[in-house]
């Protein structure tokens, strides 16, 4: 199929190129002549520019005489005006036409091949994507080009890589969600059976069943929240929020979880002004960040939460003393369903939800490892939110 396309391009370029050359030759032949005899020459001083180029050097030059003043008796006897001069072979029109024909064929073939070859490879790559081969990539012979095909090839590889990562993330989601749902359901089924067999165990079983149901509800809520944020179905409100109260409420709940795991949570709140935002979205973002910190910090360590005003924005910094994240994974932490440490529970949506919720409130979120003596000693997340324009005091 690619060869057929190349043939079509070849003939199109060839016909256009050759038609242009042929028109040029016809115009030249209509303007000038290879015959330098003096049969009907233009009037004196009216010769077209460049006519001397077609004069034949092998024939003695003859002064040009106006046609109306020609007198055969005045011509030298050695010149036969009935004889047409024959140009040398390197000036013959047929040779020129042959050279132009060969050049046009070569030009059209090279141009058609230069266009058809990358187009054919792109077509095969797109066919691979259509066949669900999402890891299709174009080779270095295309991506190293410095023309439009090179740029298109690099963009294609980037698009295919992102599509492959998205497909892999969805597959991981199906696996992780099914696992996360199946585990509490299986435990609830066991607890129900034990409660039926031993009525004395019913109270304990019901308490544990309630805990498992709470985990299921939390998981489903997290998935639904991310789905709504990703699809744009959530319309963020912009009302006055006391961020200090919101952070304090989240920390009260997280402190219970930290205390049960022999971890401590330290909170520092400055007197900050109100901001505009969506309370539910910001609560979800802050809760995901603080609960992640409590989850990954080791026992007998501390999680610090600090809220302060920095210039024209509020900054919420959450630091833990956990193992951090390998540097090569930092840029992927906000990718949905990505987990830098697979040995922890969760499906990798916490930071993705936090990022989208923060951006919906015109804020930003930044993550980084805490380094001490070139070693990772913790992890830091900073959420920045703009102040109300009416509260910003201009100097």
């Amino acid at each position: 199929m690619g060869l057929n396309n190349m043939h079509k391009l070849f003939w199109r370029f060839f016909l256009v190129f050759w038609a242009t050359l042929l028109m040029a030759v016809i115009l030249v032949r209509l303007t000038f002549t290879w015959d330098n005899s003096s049969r009907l020459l233009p009037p004196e001083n009216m010769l077209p520019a460049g006519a001397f180029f077609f004069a034949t050097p092998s024939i003695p030059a003859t002064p040009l005489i106006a046609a109306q003043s020609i007198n055969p008796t005045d011509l030298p006897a050695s010149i036969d005006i009935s004889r047409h001069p024959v140009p040398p072979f390197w000036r013959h029109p047929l040779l020129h036409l042959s050279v132009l024909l060969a050049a046009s064929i070569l030009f059209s073939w090279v141009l058609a091949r230069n266009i058809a070859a990358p187009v054919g490879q792109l077509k095969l790559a797109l066919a691979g994507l259509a066949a669900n081969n999402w890891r299709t990539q174009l080779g270095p012979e295309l991506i190293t080009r410095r023309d439009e095909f090179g740029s298109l090839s690099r963009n294609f590889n980037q698009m295919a890589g992102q599509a492959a990562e998205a497909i892999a993330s969805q597959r991981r989601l199906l696996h992780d969600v099914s696992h996360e749902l199946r585990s509490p359901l299986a435990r609830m089924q066991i607890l129900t059976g034990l409660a039926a067999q031993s009525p004395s165990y019913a109270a304990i079983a019901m308490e544990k069943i309630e805990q498992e149901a709470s985990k299921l509800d939390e998981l489903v809520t997290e998935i639904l929240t991310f789905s709504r944020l990703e699809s744009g179905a959530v319309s963020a409100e912009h009302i006055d929020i006391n961020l200090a109260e919101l952070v304090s409420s989240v920390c009260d709940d997280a402190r219970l979880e930290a205390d049960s795991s022999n971890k401590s949570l330290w909170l520092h709140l400055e007197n900050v002004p109100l901001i505009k935002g969506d309370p539910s979205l910001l609560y979800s973002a802050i809760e995901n960040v603080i609960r992640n910190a409590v989850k990954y910090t080791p026992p007998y360590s501390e999680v610090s939460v600090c809220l302060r005003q920095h210039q024209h924005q509020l900054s919420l910094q959450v630091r833990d003393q956990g193992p951090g994240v390998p540097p090569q994974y930092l840029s992927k932490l906000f990718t949905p369903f990505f987990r830098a440490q697979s040995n922890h529970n969760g499906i990798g949506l916490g930071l993705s939800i936090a990022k989208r919720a923060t951006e919906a409130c015109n804020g930003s979120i930044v993550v980084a490892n805490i380094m001490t003596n070139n070693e990772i000693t913790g992890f830091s997340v900073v959420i920045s939110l703009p102040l109300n324009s009416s509260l910003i005091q201009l100097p």
Side-chain angles (χ1 to χ4, degrees):
M1 192 66 179
L3 189 60
N4 187 29
N5 291 334
M6 179 178 171
H7 287 165
K8 292 180 180 179
L9 286 171
F10 168 82
W11 285 114
R12 289 176 184 175
F13 289 128
F14 173 79
L15 291 177
V16 172
F17 184 75
W18 183 244
T20 305
L21 291 178
L22 187 60
M23 291 176 63
V25 171
I26 292 175
L27 290 175
V28 171
R29 292 292 292 168
L30 289 176
T31 306
F32 304 111
T33 178
W34 289 102
D35 186 0
N36 67 345
S37 63
S38 57
R39 287 179 295 166
L40 287 176
L41 296 177
E44 189 175 1
N45 300 327
M46 296 294 292
L47 290 175
F52 65 89
F53 178 78
F54 293 94
T56 306
S58 60
I59 300 176
T62 304
L64 298 176
I65 307 173
Q68 63 269 23
S69 61
I70 293 179
N71 187 355
T73 60
D74 296 336
L75 298 176
S78 59
I79 298 179
D80 184 5
I81 64 175
S82 63
R83 180 174 63 86
H84 292 266
V86 179
F89 76 95
W90 52 272
R91 276 192 168 185
H92 200 282
L94 292 179
L95 177 62
H96 290 186
L97 292 178
S98 300
V99 172
L100 292 176
L101 177 62
S104 64
I105 292 176
L106 179 62
F107 170 79
S108 301
W109 183 83
V110 171
L111 189 57
R113 180 178 178 80
N114 189 55
I115 294 178
V119 169
Q121 295 186 40
L122 284 170
K123 186 176 181 180
L124 291 176
L126 289 173
L129 292 182
N132 295 328
N133 185 11
W134 299 104
R135 298 191 179 277
T136 300
Q137 294 284 294
L138 293 171
E141 66 278 2
L142 277 184
I143 62 176
T144 55
R145 292 176 59 140
R146 297 183 178 180
D147 54 6
E148 287 76 6
F149 284 114
S151 177
L152 180 62
S153 301
R154 290 187 290 272
N155 290 337
F156 174 87
N157 283 355
Q158 182 180 4
M159 177 200 69
Q162 292 176 349
E165 186 174 352
I167 295 298
S169 297
Q170 290 183 357
R171 291 173 179 172
R172 287 197 303 269
L173 169 65
L174 293 175
H175 175 270
D176 294 340
V177 169
S178 61
H179 175 74
E180 295 293 333
L181 292 176
R182 183 176 57 184
S183 298
L185 287 174
R187 289 192 292 268
M188 291 171 66
Q189 186 176 13
I190 294 174
L191 291 170
T192 303
L194 291 175
Q197 294 177 3
S198 175
S200 60
Y201 188 74
I204 300 176
M206 289 301 296
E207 181 181 354
K208 292 185 177 180
I209 288 175
E210 185 178 356
Q211 294 175 357
E212 297 297 336
S214 178
K215 292 181 180 178
L216 281 176
D217 180 70
E218 179 183 344
L219 175 63
V220 173
T221 300
E222 191 175 38
I223 296 174
L224 290 177
T225 300
F226 173 78
S227 177
R228 293 174 60 197
L229 288 170
E230 187 72 6
S231 63
V234 177
S235 179
E237 297 180 323
H238 291 281
I239 61 176
D240 289 335
I241 301 176
N242 189 328
L243 193 61
E245 292 183 359
L246 195 67
V247 172
S248 178
S249 175
V250 174
C251 288
D252 288 341
D253 295 335
R255 189 173 285 110
L256 297 176
E257 182 178 348
D259 292 341
S260 64
S261 303
N262 296 320
K263 304 173 184 179
S264 60
L265 192 150
W266 179 80
L267 175 62
H268 174 73
L269 298 175
E270 292 186 358
N271 187 18
V272 296
L274 301 179
I275 64 170
K276 290 285 187 180
D278 189 302
S280 61
L281 290 180
L282 288 179
Y283 187 94
S284 176
I286 297 171
E287 182 186 33
N288 275 288
V289 171
I290 294 178
R291 292 190 64 185
N292 268 352
V294 173
K295 179 191 300 182
Y296 288 108
T297 198
Y300 306 103
S301 64
E302 182 182 78
V303 174
S304 64
V305 179
C306 180
L307 176 65
R308 60 168 56 96
Q309 180 178 349
H310 179 69
Q311 295 182 354
H312 300 327
Q313 62 183 7
L314 298 187
S315 175
L316 175 66
Q317 186 178 48
V318 181
R319 297 163 62 98
D320 63 51
Q321 297 176 352
V325 176
Q328 65 271 22
Y329 293 151
L330 282 174
S331 60
K332 299 181 178 180
L333 287 181
F334 298 114
T335 302
F337 317 117
F338 176 82
R339 292 185 298 176
Q341 299 180 14
S342 58
N343 57 341
H344 285 79
N345 295 328
I347 58 175
L349 285 178
L351 287 178
S352 299
I353 292 175
K355 178 179 175 61
R356 284 157 177 79
T358 302
E359 291 177 347
C361 297
N362 300 322
S364 62
I365 182 170
V366 178
V367 297
N369 287 316
I370 301 173
M371 306 297 295
T372 304
N373 297 328
N374 294 325
E375 293 184 358
I376 300 177
T377 57
F379 189 70
S380 171
V381 180
V382 178
I383 296 177
S384 300
L385 296 165
L387 291 174
N388 299 347
S389 58
S390 60
L391 297 175
I392 298 176
Q393 298 180 355
L394 298 178

